[in-house]
Amino acid sequence: MKKSFNIFIVFLALFTLAGCSSSQTESASKTKIVKNYSYQKKAAKLNKQNDELKSDIKDLQNKITKDQDYLAENDQGTFSNNSSDTAKTNLANLDYTGTQEIIVNNNQPEFSDQDKSTSQGAWQTYGDLDNLNRATAANALLNSSLMPTAKRTGLTWNPTGWHNKKISSGWLYNRSHLIGYQLTGQNNNPKNLMTGTRSLNSPEMQAHEMDIAYYLKQSSSHFVRYRVTPIFRGDELLARGVQMEAQSIGDNSIQFNVYIFNVQSGVTLNYNDGTSQVG
């Protein structure tokens, strides 16, 4: 009888363990089902977001294509001669506060792909003088082929605002080339000359010109898109400053967009006519 009882206890234990195992298995299965359902919901949500992003990307691509088609249809084959009038007005309204050179547009020059094309080789062009006889803008695609071999001769053209005089450091003004002589060989060209203080001309403008000249001399295949724009406030005859933009083609060895104030330490300038007062 005792032996039969013991056998019964063993069978009961095995049955209980089997039941527990089945219960645990069932519980684990339910957990996996819940997790799987959660994963499916997350996947569906991500897929929906992905579809929405694809739709947004497609809309943006369509807008880009439309804009490119519009630009292509309205392109007359000319480069942009100047920065925008709004940008020039903003620069003209700036007052010098102690820093002669400031960065414009995060130092990014505002040239289009058309502006930077090298298909026509190196070139240079100069805007006509305005109704007040002031220089406007000088543009070029610079290359070593434009650089002069002859020594520069003296200048005779007097640009607007030319009321020069000696100060303690030398002459107050220079006949400042928009595009430096060493880059294109343009010299006594009224369209390429403005009245600039000594500090504007050198070291400020000259420092950038030297960087460009060095880059161009490294290889005959080097090109730099370049634009220099004198900035006038209203009908003043003396420029408030000059904007210089440059971009080397194919790399960023030369890349800048700066505005340099036309000022001279220790001298008060009358921008209406270029006269000045020391002290």
Side-chain angles (χ1 to χ4, degrees), residues 103-119:
I103 299 297
V104 178
N105 192 39
N106 296 317
N107 217 29
Q108 300 298 307
E110 300 178 62
F111 297 125
S112 67
D113 289 341
Q114 178 73 17
D115 289 337
K116 294 180 288 186
S117 171
T118 60
S119 61

Side-chain angles (χ1 to χ4, degrees), residues 4-276:
S4 298
F5 179 76
N6 288 338
I7 293 172
F8 173 75
I9 293 299
V10 170
F11 276 109
L12 181 63
L14 290 173
F15 179 78
T16 301
L17 287 173
C20 289
S21 176
S22 175
S23 177
Q24 289 174 352
T25 301
E26 183 178 353
S27 178
S29 296
K30 288 181 178 179
T31 300
K32 288 184 178 296
I33 290 171
V34 171
K35 286 184 177 180
N36 185 265
Y37 179 70
S38 176
Y39 293 154
Q40 287 179 354
K41 285 183 67 177
K42 288 181 179 179
K45 184 178 180 180
L46 290 173
N47 283 331
K48 182 179 179 182
Q49 291 176 343
N50 186 47
D51 290 339
E52 290 174 349
L53 286 173
K54 285 181 178 179
S55 178
D56 290 342
I57 291 171
K58 186 175 181 179
D59 288 343
L60 288 173
Q61 288 175 332
N62 288 336
K63 289 178 180 179
I64 291 170
T65 300
K66 287 181 181 178
D67 287 345
Q68 289 175 335
D69 290 343
Y70 174 83
L71 291 172
E73 289 173 3
N74 291 275
D75 180 25
Q76 301 302 313
T78 59
F79 57 86
S80 56
N81 189 54
N82 298 298
S83 299
S84 71
D85 289 340
T86 300
K88 288 193 293 182
T89 299
N90 290 339
L91 291 176
N93 288 332
L94 292 178
D95 291 320
Y96 174 68
T97 58
T99 302
Q100 192 164 6
E101 180 177 309
I102 61 174
I103 299 297
V104 178
N105 192 39
N106 296 317
N107 217 29
Q108 300 298 307
E110 300 178 62
F111 297 125
S112 67
D113 289 341
Q114 178 73 17
D115 289 337
K116 294 180 288 186
S117 171
T118 60
S119 61
Q120 303 300 316
W123 51 263
Q124 56 181 307
T125 186
Y126 303 87
D128 291 334
L129 301 180
D130 68 10
N131 63 324
L132 297 175
N133 224 29
R134 303 177 301 187
T136 51
N139 279 269
L141 181 65
L142 301 172
N143 177 262
S144 59
S145 61
L146 295 180
M147 301 177 82
T149 55
K151 186 177 180 180
R152 185 166 70 87
T153 59
L155 300 172
T156 57
W157 172 257
N158 292 338
T160 61
W162 184 257
H163 287 281
N164 209 3
K165 67 182 181 184
K166 279 275 186 85
I167 57 175
S168 59
S169 58
W171 289 104
L172 169 61
Y173 289 132
N174 287 168
R175 295 176 175 91
S176 300
H177 292 84
L178 300 184
I179 299 181
Y181 175 79
Q182 66 172 319
L183 300 177
T184 62
Q186 286 290 321
N187 194 35
N188 204 37
N189 178 357
K191 297 178 180 181
N192 192 41
L193 292 172
M194 60 171 281
T195 298
T197 62
R198 178 63 186 171
S199 63
L200 171 80
N201 196 49
S202 177
E204 299 296 337
M205 292 182 70
Q206 190 176 62
H208 293 291
E209 293 165 356
M210 294 295 289
D211 287 343
I212 293 171
Y214 177 81
Y215 174 78
L216 294 176
K217 290 176 181 178
Q218 300 312 299
S219 172
S220 60
S221 64
H222 283 175
F223 289 86
V224 175
R225 181 65 172 89
Y226 193 44
R227 176 167 58 220
V228 182
T229 310
I231 304 296
F232 296 90
R233 183 181 293 180
D235 289 338
E236 293 175 346
L237 298 181
L238 180 66
R240 290 279 174 162
V242 62
Q243 183 181 11
M244 303 177 71
E245 301 168 82
Q247 176 66 62
S248 51
I249 308 303
D251 61 40
N252 290 326
S253 298
I254 301 292
Q255 183 184 67
F256 60 81
N257 185 354
V258 298
Y259 178 66
I260 306 173
F261 287 95
N262 194 16
V263 295
Q264 186 69 38
S265 178
V267 181
T268 300
L269 303 178
N270 182 342
Y271 291 93
N272 286 314
D273 59 9
T275 56
S276 59

